[in-house]
Amino acid sequence: MTPQDERCASTLRAVRRWVAADRIPVESDGLALARSVNDHVRRTGKHFLPQHMLLRLSEIRRRDAADLPFLHAFLDCLLDKHEGRFWNRTYLSLPILELLLDERNSGVSADRMSTLLMVDVVRFEAGAAGGSREGPGRGRPDAETVSTRLRHALRFVARGVGGSAAEDLPSRLDDTSGARIEELAGHLPRPPATDAWAWFDVTVQPVYVLHDEYFFIRILQAHEMLFTAMAGHVRSAVAALREGNPEKGAERIDDAVAIFERAAGLFRTVATMRAEHFSAFRHYTQGASAIQSEQYKRFESLCGVPRTPRLHSTAFTSVPAVRAEAQDPGHDTVARAYLDLRRERGPGGAAWGRLDAALGRLESRHQRWKSAHRGLAARMLGDAHGSGYTDGVPYLTGALDNRLFWQLPLSR
């Protein structure tokens, strides 16, 4: 029996024990099972899990997971392909990450979560370069690519950490020896030391076995967290305008601008991925696409209700819950609150000038982000269609015409 067969047999034994038990142990939350299964997924790819394992895991979810939210979320993500409901949320294990954002489990902010996700990229890439046996080893990048990738990831982490703590982080990591990696780990922020956060380790479920898919998933997750944070700031800006405080609204909008600048840096990290490797694992991600990002569309629709053609396009029909929010007559936005306050008070004043400037900055950053996304997609996809059944690069080109604040009299 090969080592691969041995590991598969070990995972199956763990699954069988759960199926065979009359009831799960009181002290168990399912993490040991999830770790065993996730280790198997990392070595074979979720797309290639054996049918008998999937059927047994379905039985465990039906019988035992209802009162175990983390196990239930983990199995929902794991079984998505098996059950014909594979999409962006489950590919990125967002149901598990969202449980970790819940203040009852940690109170970690979405912005902080994005930093921790990129810390994990540093740990994974540096560990693989240093000879770690953890995770998929096929197609590991060369030393120069790893150095570039780590430089961008560490820059993102440093901006997330901020202050004097960021000064302890290196700007690059050329030496990937075990001692150097251990030294670096002492300076990187750590996830909360709670039972719930132990589930963070099982939030990468690659569909294939290539090395680059791990960091690709983490970066998409980081993007989701950043848009979650931006949506929160935009929501706060709406509240400030409803309170009659355009200056405070400008501050909250600029908070979103600062996060957008961090989000743009993620594209530089993704650009270190080799197009042929992206194409290889992307073959198994059909049905899951960034077009299904609920948090990006929520951010967009909180800025202003999109024009009717966009609301009826794939961009929003792919996220029906957010589309329903945007179409609700009571849905409030920055644009609506801005116009109402202007009608009430009239234009003019320094506070309005600051608000208009902040909205212009956010619009500009959004356009630059979309342009960077299109450029990266053109390099990675070429003429291929998007994995969410869009036209790919032509779709992203058309999206450049969309504006967040198209209803407002801002200078373009």
Side-chain angles (χ1 to χ4, degrees):
M1 182 180 289
T2 67
Q4 178 80 359
D5 292 335
E6 289 244 1
R7 285 189 290 267
C8 182
S10 176
T11 302
L12 281 170
R13 284 194 294 272
V15 173
R16 287 194 197 103
R17 282 195 295 271
W18 271 66
V19 172
D22 291 334
R23 60 175 178 266
I24 63 171
V26 173
E27 69 277 6
S28 176
D29 63 357
L31 180 59
L33 173 69
R35 280 176 166 162
S36 179
V37 172
N38 201 66
D39 179 67
H40 186 69
V41 171
R42 294 271 301 278
R43 295 178 186 282
T44 65
K46 182 163 66 172
H47 187 84
F48 301 94
L49 291 176
Q51 184 79 356
H52 53 287
M53 180 187 292
L54 293 166
L55 291 172
R56 290 189 173 106
L57 290 169
S58 296
E59 173 64 15
I60 290 170
R61 183 187 54 179
R62 183 194 65 78
R63 193 191 68 184
D64 297 325
D67 297 323
L68 299 171
F70 280 97
L71 180 62
H72 194 278
F74 172 80
L75 291 175
D76 261 5
C77 295
L78 187 78
L79 295 167
D80 56 357
K81 277 180 165 277
H82 172 63
E83 296 175 348
R85 50 179 182 77
F86 178 65
W87 69 311
N88 193 56
R89 276 183 59 77
T90 51
Y91 176 51
L92 300 182
S93 297
L94 294 182
I96 310 174
L97 293 177
E98 288 165 0
L99 283 174
L100 293 176
L101 288 179
D102 191 311
E103 61 184 15
R104 291 169 294 183
N105 294 316
S106 71
V108 168
S109 69
D111 193 5
R112 178 68 170 182
M113 172 77 84
S114 73
T115 299
L116 294 173
L117 289 164
M118 289 301 284
V119 166
D120 191 60
V121 168
V122 174
R123 179 199 59 79
F124 177 77
E125 294 293 340
S132 168
R133 294 172 60 86
E134 179 187 353
R138 302 184 197 179
R140 287 177 177 170
D142 58 43
E144 183 179 355
T145 300
V146 171
S147 178
T148 303
R149 187 173 294 176
L150 287 171
R151 183 173 69 253
H152 292 314
L154 285 165
R155 184 177 298 150
F156 182 93
V157 172
R159 293 187 68 174
V161 171
S164 59
E167 297 174 5
D168 293 329
L169 295 175
S171 60
R172 59 191 299 129
L173 187 63
D174 295 320
D175 177 7
T176 55
S177 64
R180 183 70 180 98
I181 293 167
E182 188 174 342
E183 178 190 346
L184 174 67
H187 296 290
L188 294 171
R190 297 178 182 275
T194 65
D195 291 343
W197 267 80
W199 287 85
F200 182 77
D201 294 336
V202 297
T203 54
V204 175
Q205 299 179 4
V207 295
Y208 195 45
V209 294
L210 284 176
H211 174 92
D212 279 0
E213 191 181 359
Y214 186 102
F215 104 93
F216 178 71
I217 288 173
R218 282 299 194 216
I219 286 179
L220 292 183
Q221 291 169 335
H223 253 123
E224 290 297 306
M225 294 300 111
L226 292 178
F227 278 110
T228 300
M230 279 190 275
H233 289 311
V234 172
R235 196 176 282 112
S236 295
V238 174
L241 294 177
R242 290 303 180 192
E243 293 166 1
N245 192 337
E247 192 161 37
K248 183 179 177 182
E251 291 173 1
R252 298 291 79 80
I253 291 296
D254 272 335
D255 288 338
V257 170
I259 293 179
F260 237 132
E261 290 174 350
R262 291 187 69 208
L266 292 174
F267 288 131
R268 288 189 284 273
T269 315
V270 178
T272 64
M273 182 166 55
R274 292 145 294 180
E276 64 272 20
H277 286 200
F278 176 60
S279 178
F281 69 75
R282 183 178 172 275
H283 176 72
Y284 302 104
T285 64
Q286 288 298 322
S289 168
I291 200 173
Q292 298 159 349
S293 170
E294 292 181 320
Q295 293 304 332
Y296 172 60
K297 303 306 185 334
R298 185 163 284 120
F299 156 77
E300 180 183 346
S301 65
L302 282 166
C303 290
V305 175
R307 296 176 189 270
T308 299
R310 181 155 173 82
L311 274 176
H312 289 283
S313 72
T314 309
F316 275 84
T317 58
S318 297
V319 288
V322 182
R323 184 169 180 253
E325 291 172 14
Q327 292 180 312
D328 188 314
H331 177 64
D332 210 356
T333 69
V334 169
R336 181 173 292 174
Y338 177 106
L339 292 171
D340 286 350
L341 191 58
R342 279 263 177 157
R343 278 191 290 268
E344 179 185 325
R345 295 192 178 181
W352 280 108
R354 283 191 287 274
L355 177 60
D356 286 349
L359 294 174
R361 284 190 288 273
L362 185 57
E363 188 79 81
S364 175
R365 295 299 186 279
H366 181 232
Q367 287 300 112
R368 285 166 54 186
W369 180 87
K370 288 190 296 181
S371 294
H373 185 192
R374 183 200 172 280
L376 181 63
R379 179 186 154 207
M380 293 292 181
L381 288 177
D383 296 330
H385 286 274
S387 55
Y389 309 113
T390 70
D391 291 334
V393 175
Y395 166 81
L396 295 175
T397 301
L400 294 175
D401 293 331
N402 299 324
R403 294 292 186 273
L404 296 173
F405 303 112
W406 63 273
Q407 295 165 298
L408 301 187
L410 305 175
S411 58
R412 296 295 190 260

